[in-house]
Amino acid sequence: MANTISGLWRGYRSVPIVYRIAAAFVLGSIVGLIVGEPATALQPLGDLFVRLLKMIIVPIVVFTIIMASRQLSPSNLGRIGGQVVVVYLLTTSIAIAVGLLVSNVIEPGVGLQLTEASVSPEEAPPLTEVLLGVVPENPVSAMAEGDILGVITFSLVFGIGMTAVREEFEEGSAVHDGIQTLFDIIEAGAEVMFKVVWGVMEYGIVGVFALMASMFGQTGAGAIYELLMLVLTLLTAVGIQIGVVYLLLIVALLVGQSPVAFLRGSKDAMITALSIRSSTGTLPVTMSNADENLKIEEGVYSFSLPLGATINMDGTAMYLGIAAIFTANVVGVHLTIAQQLSILLTALLASVGTAGVPGASLVMMSVVFSQVGLPLSAIGMIAGIDPLLDRLRTMNNITGDLAVTALVAKWNDSIDLSSGAWNS
Ligand code: ASP
């Protein structure tokens, strides 16, 4: 008996985690649809998974960024950072254009009636506030509040300071050797956190089952059917963005590698994003995939990925455009090309300002809708199926972060294309 159990357990463990999570995703969805409302009681088990992931975000970001500043000079960091930001903005603009194009063809929302709901408009934060926010007033509170941009800045400054001071002191002096030891400890810390990610993912199998059962227990299939065209529009746009822009254009053409290898290396992060609906929450897995599977150096991914989780949201941006066209169709308004261009610009800025947390788009939607005079009450209608749509766009968001990171790493000779997922 004991032998059978341990044999079963070994068999279970020999299946790669991502497939076990995928099975939990499907089974959880089925259970939620069958059981209905009572399945929402499982939510705390899902929340536990998300909390476990969130718990490791700050240490992973701090440790890996400090390691990166040991490898790179400030000027190299600046160059890489510049490239990352420019490509992020480019891919987001393309994503919105894709979203607008697809929705102009599919025309979601035509023939639907608006169900009233009151939503209060939100203001986009002023640009100066966003830029100033990059520098935290207090690093400890930035860490405590999970303010990723603030944590990135402080860790970079601290790491660069460590490297500079180490160079000033002679080898053998207490300060020089102390810094060396501190670097070693931080490197060990990063390794430990990556180990922990995989422990958390083992629990993720239960967590994802619970999250899916609870979501479908709550929404049921009816809500999805009603807004099927909206779901299809987002699905098509996400398919084009991932398939054409990331896999063909970036991975195959610019990085010169097989899209299948890229997907093999990124699949854990993609399925986690699909399950937990948060780019920031997925960050530990995204970083671990970049490090262990895509073989990208810390010098690039340690800040491009946390930065991407906060500012690079292609799925979110395209969704804001799609939702605007959907709403215009529901209320029978025709959006001119000029209005669609203004949606593009607003959605780009709004996506940069959107937090990588579940449902964040709904808040930003009011900014975009106000811009072109669409009724905010439509947001209430969309909110019903947002838990489903959020998965697709979050998966798109983090896949974009990884593709751009691989590209910038390639430009800077910071990726080993002969090992890891590229070579199996
Ligand atoms: N949930 C998304 C993310 O974390 C943000 C959103 O579009 O709501 O990436």
Side-chain angles (χ1 to χ4, degrees), residues 103-400:
S103 23
N104 277 306
V105 173
I106 299 189
E107 300 268 29
V110 173
L112 278 182
Q113 289 277 310
L114 184 60
T115 41
E116 287 295 324
S118 71
V119 177
S120 45
E122 291 281 334
E123 290 275 315
L127 192 62
T128 42
E129 199 179 293
V130 175
L131 292 178
L132 278 176
V134 170
V135 179
E137 279 182 352
N138 177 340
V140 179
S141 70
M143 287 180 203
E145 284 157 19
D147 156 21
I148 304 287
L149 287 183
V151 173
I152 296 178
T153 308
F154 179 74
S155 311
L156 262 181
V157 168
F158 190 75
I160 292 171
M162 276 172 73
T163 315
V165 172
R166 186 183 52 181
E167 268 162 30
E168 266 169 32
F169 284 80
E170 271 178 31
E171 238 183 290
S173 69
V175 175
H176 182 282
D177 291 0
I179 289 181
Q180 197 52 46
T181 311
L182 194 51
F183 268 133
D184 291 344
I185 293 172
I186 288 169
E187 184 166 7
E191 285 303 320
V192 171
M193 291 329 290
F194 281 135
K195 192 75 177 171
V196 173
V197 172
W198 292 106
V200 171
M201 292 297 273
E202 278 298 337
Y203 173 72
I205 295 149
V206 177
V208 167
F209 179 91
L211 285 173
M212 296 311 293
S214 167
M215 179 193 83
F216 276 112
Q218 180 130 37
T219 55
I224 294 159
Y225 187 72
E226 202 174 292
L227 298 183
L228 195 63
M229 290 320 265
L230 180 61
V231 180
L232 280 181
T233 310
L234 184 65
L235 200 61
T236 312
V238 166
I240 294 177
Q241 181 74 8
I242 294 185
V244 179
V245 181
Y246 304 150
L247 295 181
L248 285 182
L249 192 71
I250 298 190
V251 176
L253 218 69
L254 299 175
V255 182
Q257 291 297 313
S258 138
V260 178
F262 174 80
L263 287 176
R264 202 185 299 129
S266 314
K267 60 185 182 314
D268 308 294
M270 290 173 76
I271 192 137
T272 308
L274 203 59
S275 310
I276 71 167
R277 309 197 271 136
S278 161
S279 325
T280 318
T282 308
L283 197 51
V285 189
T286 321
M287 291 177 92
S288 139
N289 276 178
D291 186 277
E292 292 166 9
N293 298 351
L294 299 175
K295 297 290 171 192
I296 298 169
E297 283 175 18
E298 262 150 5
V300 178
Y301 81 72
S302 72
F303 71 98
S304 74
L305 291 178
L307 190 71
T310 26
I311 70 160
N312 184 45
M313 302 212 170
D314 298 357
T316 298
M318 75 169 36
Y319 177 62
L320 293 174
I322 292 172
I325 302 233
F326 167 82
T327 306
N329 286 339
V330 171
V331 293
V333 177
H334 178 74
L335 291 174
T336 61
I337 296 287
Q339 278 175 313
Q340 298 206 20
L341 278 178
S342 107
I343 290 177
L344 195 148
L345 217 65
T346 325
L348 177 66
L349 292 176
S351 76
V352 171
T354 309
V357 297
S361 284
L362 288 177
V363 179
M364 282 303 163
M365 218 174 262
S366 63
V367 177
V368 176
F369 282 19
S370 315
Q371 176 76 19
V372 281
L374 288 167
L376 297 182
S377 48
I379 300 174
M381 181 174 180
I382 298 173
I385 53 156
D386 195 65
L388 182 79
L389 301 176
D390 199 2
R391 294 170 200 284
L392 297 174
R393 53 181 201 257
T394 309
M395 181 181 74
N396 188 138
N397 288 348
I398 64 101
T399 312

Side-chain angles (χ1 to χ4, degrees), residues 67-126:
M67 291 310 300
S69 40
R70 163 150 94 165
Q71 293 160 2
L72 296 172
S73 65
S75 65
N76 279 342
L77 274 172
R79 190 190 60 239
I80 295 175
Q83 291 171 346
V84 167
V85 171
V86 169
V87 187
Y88 274 166
L89 291 177
L90 256 174
T91 51
T92 308
S93 310
I94 297 175
I96 307 169
V98 168
L100 290 175
L101 268 176
V102 172
S103 23
N104 277 306
V105 173
I106 299 189
E107 300 268 29
V110 173
L112 278 182
Q113 289 277 310
L114 184 60
T115 41
E116 287 295 324
S118 71
V119 177
S120 45
E122 291 281 334
E123 290 275 315

Side-chain angles (χ1 to χ4, degrees), residues 20-33:
R20 285 184 273 144
I21 291 196
F25 188 94
V26 175
L27 285 177
S29 309
I30 296 173
V31 167
L33 285 172

